[in-house]
Amino acid sequence: MTIKKVEIQDYNGDVYYPHTSANVVFMSDASKLEDAVTQLKTNNGDLATLATTNKTNFVSAINELFQNVSSGKSSIATAITDKGVVASGDDTFPVLASKIGQINSSSFPPWSSPHDLFVQATPMNTPRTYTGLGVYDEKIYAMGGTVSTGYATGANECYDTVANTWSTKTSTPTNRTRHTCLSVGDKIYIIGGINGSTGITSTECYDIITNTWSTKAVIPSVSFAHMSSVVGDNIYVFTGYYSVGGALCIDTYCYNTITNTWSTKANTLTGRYEGIALAVGTNIYIIGGINSSGTTISTNECYNTITNTWSTKAIIPVATDGMSGFVVDSNIYIMCGMNSSTFSTTIRVYDIVNNTWSVKLGKNPSLKNNSKAIRVGDFEFKIGGYYNNPNTYYITNDCYII
């Protein structure tokens, strides 16, 4: 008969070895002790198969697992917070999951390094101001402008907003500055401007697909430092100068890109130059600029393209010229520019529905005037510009997170 030993340990840690001559040891409920031990192993698994470092003690393994989970939660919370939603390692997993859902997936371009509301995108190759911008298929085209020598350029550079890279395209047929560029489908139209002391009436069309230029109908009169915007297939050009040293006009012209024809529309209420024109639906808002007396103004006027009529809206709180801007839903964002000799870093927002102005949190990362801005998806890119202390022509490309 085989003698089996059973080890019994009391609460004080003392071990006893009672002996039995039976082949099988029964528990008080008549079950076999050997079967109970086997079942315990089956229920709890083999310690050697644990994925933890510790494979000999259940308590140590559980503690290790808990520590790993805690560290993982802290890392997740840090990543969530970096995306603009405050999270803590003490948050439960359901709470962390909810906060992940609050993250705007388009918060930053994949190549960016967040800095306030702006990130610095790759700068363009040619430093310039008064450049014109067009956009197509997530690519921005910077055309013409004034370079550091003071002369007009025909440079045409393409910025890929996804790859964050620039490439050179076919130059404009006519060097020009203080002009406007408008995108309609896969074409970009470059209108008016000056070259030296010569005013330009030509309209040139850039075919993005073929990387070629063609000449279109001339604008009815020379116009530079004007403002323009697009509604449907029509381009609207407002005010500006007739000639260098000449009179400031109040004209409104409409160019139909389908028929290649110009027509005259209702005059603007205020003659101005170096303001901004932005379309919201079928209305175009002209804000700020400089009047015939050389004074920076704060007027805000709305042109209804359907009725061909003008109306006055709430003035911008600080008179501004040379600014850039873009539209988000029913709001117009105004950035940069200057008042007299003071450069602005304030971001102002005009609420079209309520006809009110407010200041947006955050500031422009650089002081500049006559930079141009254009929206691509959830981002606004503000390119080029000028600062006169010291005399600087910018290649900067500031990306604003909308």
Side-chain angles (χ1 to χ4, degrees):
M1 179 179 294
T2 302
I3 297 176
K4 296 189 176 182
K5 293 183 178 180
V6 177
E7 180 180 288
I8 299 175
Q9 185 175 17
D10 62 18
Y11 288 109
N12 296 320
D14 296 326
V15 177
Y16 301 91
Y17 296 96
H19 291 79
T20 175
S21 58
N23 288 321
V24 179
V25 176
F26 289 92
M27 306 285 283
S28 60
D29 61 355
S31 63
K32 298 179 181 178
L33 177 60
E34 186 175 7
D35 291 343
V37 172
T38 300
Q39 187 62 45
L40 180 63
K41 289 181 178 180
T42 301
N43 292 343
N44 290 281
D46 187 354
L47 284 173
T49 64
L50 286 173
T52 57
T53 302
N54 191 304
K55 301 178 184 298
T56 60
N57 184 284
F58 272 119
V59 174
S60 297
I62 291 172
N63 285 338
E64 181 183 334
L65 178 61
F66 178 82
Q67 183 60 48
N68 289 341
V69 170
S70 179
S71 298
K73 286 176 63 182
S74 296
S75 297
I76 293 171
T78 299
I80 294 172
T81 301
D82 287 343
K83 290 295 185 179
V85 180
V86 178
S88 166
D90 293 331
D91 290 337
T92 63
F93 277 113
V95 171
L96 289 175
S98 174
K99 291 183 175 180
I100 289 174
Q102 297 173 32
I103 297 173
N104 181 355
S105 61
S106 62
S107 291
F108 302 104
W111 41 262
S112 70
S113 299
H115 176 68
D116 294 332
L117 296 175
F118 285 89
V119 293
Q120 295 300 308
T122 299
M124 62 180 170
N125 300 316
T126 306
R128 47 186 153 154
T129 187
Y130 294 118
T131 190
L133 300 181
V135 63
Y136 177 75
D137 191 27
E138 298 186 309
K139 295 180 175 63
I140 297 172
Y141 296 80
M143 301 173 170
T146 302
V147 294
S148 57
T149 59
Y151 292 102
T153 180
N156 179 13
E157 297 171 0
C158 174
Y159 173 65
D160 187 322
T161 63
V162 177
N164 191 28
T165 57
W166 287 87
S167 59
T168 301
K169 300 297 181 180
T170 303
S171 297
T172 62
T174 306
N175 289 1
R176 65 179 83 200
T177 186
R178 304 180 80 173
H179 56 288
T180 54
C181 286
L182 294 306
S183 301
V184 180
D186 59 4
K187 307 289 191 299
I188 299 175
Y189 296 82
I190 187 167
I191 300 170
I194 57 172
N195 185 348
S197 60
T198 303
I200 299 171
T201 59
S202 65
T203 299
E204 294 166 347
C205 175
Y206 177 66
D207 187 314
I208 296 170
I209 306 302
T210 62
N211 188 32
T212 58
W213 289 89
S214 59
T215 302
K216 299 297 181 180
V218 299
I219 190 170
S221 68
V222 171
S223 180
F224 70 90
H226 55 266
M227 293 144 283
S228 61
S229 192
V230 173
V231 175
D233 294 319
N234 295 315
I235 295 172
Y236 293 84
V237 176
F238 307 98
T239 71
Y241 273 106
Y242 287 123
S243 62
V244 177
L248 187 63
C249 71
I250 57 173
D251 299 340
T252 299
Y253 298 114
C254 175
Y255 175 67
N256 186 310
T257 60
I258 304 299
T259 62
N260 187 33
T261 57
W262 286 91
S263 58
T264 301
K265 299 296 182 181
N267 288 341
T268 62
L269 302 179
T270 307
R272 68 182 89 189
Y273 67 99
E274 293 185 4
I276 193 168
L278 292 166
V280 182
T282 57
N283 292 333
I284 301 174
Y285 296 80
I286 299 181
I287 302 169
I290 302 173
N291 65 16
S292 57
S293 301
T295 302
T296 300
I297 60 177
S298 56
T299 57
N300 174 12
E301 296 165 356
C302 175
Y303 175 67
N304 186 317
T305 62
I306 304 299
T307 61
N308 188 32
T309 57
W310 288 89
S311 59
T312 301
K313 300 298 180 180
I315 63 173
I316 186 170
V318 177
T320 309
D321 65 81
M323 64 281 226
S324 56
F326 60 97
V327 175
V328 178
D329 299 325
S330 59
N331 297 296
I332 293 176
Y333 285 64
I334 299 297
M335 299 180 172
C336 288
M338 60 188 301
N339 173 270
S340 184
S341 59
T342 302
F343 285 77
S344 173
T345 59
T346 304
I347 303 170
R348 300 187 188 279
V349 181
Y350 174 59
D351 183 328
I352 295 168
V353 175
N354 296 304
N355 191 32
T356 57
W357 286 89
S358 61
V359 173
K360 183 77 172 177
L361 293 177
K363 294 182 180 295
N364 292 285
S366 55
L367 295 173
K368 61 173 76 173
N369 193 38
N370 289 309
S371 61
K372 300 299 179 182
I374 199 162
R375 180 177 174 180
V376 181
D378 291 328
F379 312 105
E380 176 266 352
F381 294 86
K382 186 159 55 66
I383 298 172
Y386 171 79
Y387 182 62
N388 64 358
N389 187 24
N391 192 22
T392 304
Y393 288 77
Y394 283 102
I395 58 175
T396 52
N397 181 3
D398 302 325
C399 175
Y400 178 75
I401 313 303
I402 297 175

